[in-house]
Amino acid sequence: MDACYLISLLLSRLIQVQVNEGIIQGQVVSNPYGCPFFSFRGIPYAEPPVGDLRFKAPQPKTPWEGIRNATEHASHCFKYEIFTNETNLPTGSEDCLYLNVYSPNIAPSQPFPVMVYIHGGGFVSGSGDDDRYGPQFLIRKDVIVVTINYRLEILGLLSLDTEDIPGNAGMKDQVAALRWVKNNIVKFGGDPDNITVFGESAGGASVSFHLVSPMSKGLFKRAITQSGTLTSWWPNTFRARDRALLLAKQLGCNSTDDKEIAEFFRAQPTENLVNKRIPVTYWQAGKETPDVYYGIVQEKEFGNNERFFYGHPFDVLRKGIHEGVEVMNGYTEDEGILYFSTGVNSDRIFEQANHFLEFFVPEPYTTDVPLATQMEIGSKFKNFYMKNKTASRDSLDDLLKYFNMELFVYGIISQEKIIAKYKKNKSYLYKFTCKSELNTFIVNTGLDQLFNYRPVVAHGDDLRYIFPMENVDINSTAFKMIEQVTTLWTNFAKYGDPTPDDSLGVKWLPYTIENEDYLDIGENLVPGTHPEKEEVQFWESNFREFLPEYVP
């Protein structure tokens, strides 16, 4: 008798599983796109990081007595919305270190590959809840899906550069979740030796850092970095301690004693530690640009503390990613639309782009080269992208190409090249070009009037082909693309090869320095070589001249 039918007999039944910390009770739920599945939501993977544990690395979860309900999501970490037009107050709780496990079958004849998803949201918004990240598309392909919460913004990423508040707490939450999965996933029918960690945007950058973090070594076999890498500028925090001190002053603490400042932060009500945008440079304060104020820091050593990350991202990557780990990495066609979506003023963007050469200066130059040199660099970039055009709605695509590279594509291709140069790890590169009614980023962010002149594939539009954020007709063209995308993603998770056979009618080759192979993932799958060749060459030659450490 077929497993799908047998599991359907258990629909709505409560199902108990014994994990290392105690017994949890989930349920079997239906899937409009396939077989019913086992759902366990709101599983604690660490102690609540409250009181003295605020800003600290997460502590292992204490075992519980009795049966713990796992049919509902637990509270998410404090967050506020940055991308949509919503102006809701921040929501969440400090008691938020929970994850969700969805399994096709908790007693399979062969254990399933496991896919652990790390959500994006600029390190200030998002959660692992299934209102956005449900497993219904992926689980059809016989994989277990895990989604996680981790601390965000100030509570998750504040750094005073001290032993009390070293930084990267939210990243250490992710490590704790991965350790929990490694130790417990067999109880849900999963294979602890075949775990793929994947994420998008800030989640993609997180996955990229896990590729090199000493804390993450051995916790996964494969990784997918979607629209975010450690070699982009925005996940890396400049002068984090200065920001922490400015925040303390803004909240009323003028002490110069680090212990007193740490105590002050721990005593603050949570609402004082959410949605605080604090620039630390004149450039950050004046430029009309989306900023990530709290990201990953290079941690100092204090005794024998576990450090999540230290060193320069490009240098650390050059030393190699974890042995034996395979990677899939890519970007959407119009990533740069994100630039307009986080509350920035588009008219002011045009005005600054026309007025200041520094507007076209990639971020690393703003902190590492003199102003006169920045003006020279800005002039080169402005001429390359705008030719002699004025920045306006009529030249939006030219500006967009610069934003694509500045925010995402240069960093993504840099990661690809550095991994390929050392020829120790297999990596696949893609460009995502699917266009359908699922591409709703510009509608959700109120940018549909600005970008009404052509169909776009914005930052985050790829997610709707992986997670069911709205109902999709199984007979639609959009669903055909969902089928292709989820097949590629789960093939990679199963075999380390997104096209192990000819069922998709295409062979996606690993990226090499010689060919620079990639796959264009649209309605049709089209292999290509040397993506964004002219732009990449321009950027690399510029960095070679002025900041060679940023050349892959």
Side-chain angles (χ1 to χ4, degrees):
M1 204 175 288
D2 129 299
C4 193
Y5 171 72
L6 290 173
I7 293 168
S8 71
L9 298 177
L10 299 173
L11 265 173
S12 303
R13 290 274 184 90
L14 295 173
I15 307 290
Q16 292 179 5
V17 166
Q18 171 91 46
V19 296
N20 290 347
E21 299 80 14
I23 299 170
I24 56 169
Q25 185 165 265
Q27 61 189 337
V28 174
V29 296
S30 61
N31 182 0
Y33 307 102
C35 295
F37 58 89
F38 293 81
S39 165
F40 300 88
R41 304 191 293 185
I43 306 170
Y45 65 82
E47 280 296 296
V50 297
D52 287 344
L53 295 181
R54 184 187 268 184
F55 308 121
K56 299 282 194 191
Q59 299 302 303
K61 179 66 189 163
T62 309
W64 58 83
E65 296 292 321
I67 297 166
R68 187 181 175 99
N69 180 39
T71 60
E72 300 292 333
H73 287 301
S75 50
H76 54 249
C77 298
F78 264 100
K79 65 186 176 93
Y80 66 91
E81 187 49 67
I82 49 166
F83 296 127
T84 70
N85 284 333
E86 295 170 27
T87 50
N88 299 340
L89 289 169
T91 61
S93 165
E94 278 193 85
D95 175 3
C96 64
L97 301 186
Y98 299 92
L99 52 75
N100 313 293
V101 178
Y102 308 104
S103 175
N105 187 349
I106 57 172
S109 53
Q110 289 288 321
F112 294 111
V114 182
M115 298 186 75
V116 181
Y117 184 71
I118 301 175
H119 70 79
F123 297 115
V124 300
S125 71
S127 79
D129 290 2
D130 63 8
D131 56 338
R132 284 184 64 79
Y133 303 118
Q136 289 84 346
F137 293 162
L138 291 167
I139 211 164
R140 299 165 69 242
K141 304 292 182 183
D142 283 340
V143 295
I144 286 178
V145 179
V146 180
T147 62
I148 69 171
N149 297 343
Y150 57 96
R151 282 172 283 175
L152 302 166
E153 207 208 10
I154 295 167
L155 291 163
L157 295 158
L158 184 75
S159 172
L160 198 55
D161 231 4
T162 62
E163 190 167 8
D164 252 348
I165 308 180
N168 297 337
M171 306 306 294
K172 293 166 189 172
D173 294 342
Q174 296 176 12
V175 171
L178 289 172
R179 287 172 176 167
W180 189 95
V181 171
K182 183 86 173 162
N183 291 330
N184 286 285
I185 205 64
V186 70
K187 316 282 178 48
F188 300 89
D191 183 350
D193 297 320
N194 190 0
I195 295 171
T196 297
V197 57
F198 70 125
E200 184 268 348
S201 194
S206 296
V207 171
S208 182
F209 277 97
H210 288 299
L211 286 171
V212 297
S213 171
M215 290 181 71
S216 313
K217 189 172 185 180
L219 296 179
F220 57 92
K221 187 173 185 178
R222 303 189 173 104
I224 306 175
T225 54
Q226 299 175 222
S227 306
T229 54
L230 83 162
T231 39
S232 297
W233 332 132
W234 51 266
N236 295 281
T237 307
F238 178 68
R239 296 185 77 95
R241 176 177 166 82
D242 290 356
R243 179 170 285 117
L245 295 173
L246 286 167
L247 174 64
K249 280 184 179 156
Q250 190 186 93
L251 293 172
C253 173
N254 292 305
S255 173
T256 54
D257 181 280
D258 285 343
K259 287 276 182 206
E260 283 179 18
I261 296 168
E263 279 308 311
F264 173 81
F265 277 131
R266 269 197 288 276
Q268 289 300 300
T270 13
E271 55 269 24
N272 285 1
L273 302 176
V274 185
N275 199 358
K276 293 281 187 283
R277 306 177 190 211
I278 298 183
V280 294
T281 66
Y282 205 39
W283 176 87
Q284 271 181 349
K287 187 175 181 181
E288 196 67 13
T289 178
D291 265 314
V292 173
Y293 293 100
Y294 304 91
I296 285 81
V297 296
Q298 299 175 25
E299 283 181 69
K300 281 185 179 167
E301 195 162 9
F302 300 104
N304 58 356
N305 64 320
E306 273 195 302
R307 291 188 287 169
F308 177 75
F309 184 77
Y310 45 92
H312 185 286
F314 275 71
D315 291 340
V316 172
L317 191 58
R318 283 187 192 102
K319 288 173 186 162
I321 63 173
H322 300 317
E323 189 181 346
V325 171
E326 295 150 331
V327 185
M328 211 164 101
N329 172 36
Y331 56 96
T332 68
E333 187 175 353
D334 301 297
E335 292 280 11
I337 287 174
L338 176 79
Y339 200 98
F340 295 87
S341 73
T342 53
V344 296
N345 180 316
S346 57
D347 290 332
R348 204 155 169 241
I349 288 174
F350 300 141
E351 185 187 309
Q352 291 188 351
N354 290 321
H355 193 97
F356 298 107
L357 288 175
E358 299 112 292
F359 188 85
F360 289 93
V361 173
E363 194 175 316
Y365 292 127
T366 65
T367 54
D368 290 358
V369 302
L371 182 58
T373 311
Q374 287 185 43
M375 301 289 274
E376 183 188 341
I377 291 164
S379 175
K380 288 182 177 184
F381 274 86
K382 187 172 184 179
N383 290 337
F384 181 85
Y385 281 99
M386 302 306 294
K387 309 299 187 276
N388 290 312
K389 295 179 195 166
T390 300
S392 69
R393 287 166 188 256
D394 296 332
S395 58
L396 207 46
D397 275 352
D398 301 296
L399 205 51
L400 204 53
K401 277 187 173 176
Y402 171 70
F403 293 151
N404 288 347
M405 290 293 283
E406 162 70 352
L407 289 178
F408 297 100
V409 179
Y410 184 76
I412 285 162
I413 290 179
S414 293
Q415 171 175 297
E416 203 60 34
K417 287 191 171 185
I418 292 171
I419 291 174
K421 269 185 181 171
Y422 291 91
K423 297 184 177 173
K424 288 182 178 171
N425 301 75
K426 194 166 58 165
S427 187
Y428 296 88
L429 179 68
Y430 69 83
K431 178 177 181 175
F432 196 92
T433 62
C434 290
K435 297 177 181 76
S436 77
E437 65 277 11
L438 297 180
N439 298 32
T440 56
F441 183 86
I442 56 169
V443 176
N444 297 339
T445 50
L447 295 172
D448 41 334
Q449 289 309 303
L450 191 59
F451 293 96
N452 61 2
Y453 55 92
R454 66 174 173 89
V456 296
V457 191
H459 183 73
D461 275 340
D462 52 336
L463 291 175
R464 292 168 186 273
Y465 298 84
I466 299 168
F467 300 104
M469 299 183 188
E470 59 219 62
N471 293 327
V472 186
D473 177 358
I474 281 192
N475 299 310
S476 63
T477 305
F479 198 82
K480 174 184 170 259
M481 290 187 258
I482 287 166
E483 179 65 24
Q484 280 188 162
V485 172
T486 53
T487 298
L488 291 169
W489 262 238
T490 54
N491 274 348
F492 177 73
K494 291 171 185 175
Y495 313 113
D497 181 346
T499 53
D501 53 36
D502 56 9
S503 60
L504 290 172
V506 69
K507 187 64 191 166
W508 182 355
L509 296 173
Y511 184 96
T512 62
I513 289 298
E514 297 71 36
N515 294 339
E516 298 185 13
D517 304 276
Y518 76 104
L519 186 67
D520 184 309
I521 301 174
E523 186 174 344
N524 299 308
L525 304 176
V526 183
T529 57
H530 305 283
E532 326 306 337
K533 185 177 181 179
E534 188 189 350
E535 285 183 86
V536 171
Q537 285 176 343
F538 171 75
W539 281 66
E540 286 181 359
S541 69
N542 204 278
F543 275 120
R544 198 168 284 114
E545 185 177 352
F546 297 105
L547 269 185
E549 62 264 41
Y550 287 96
V551 180

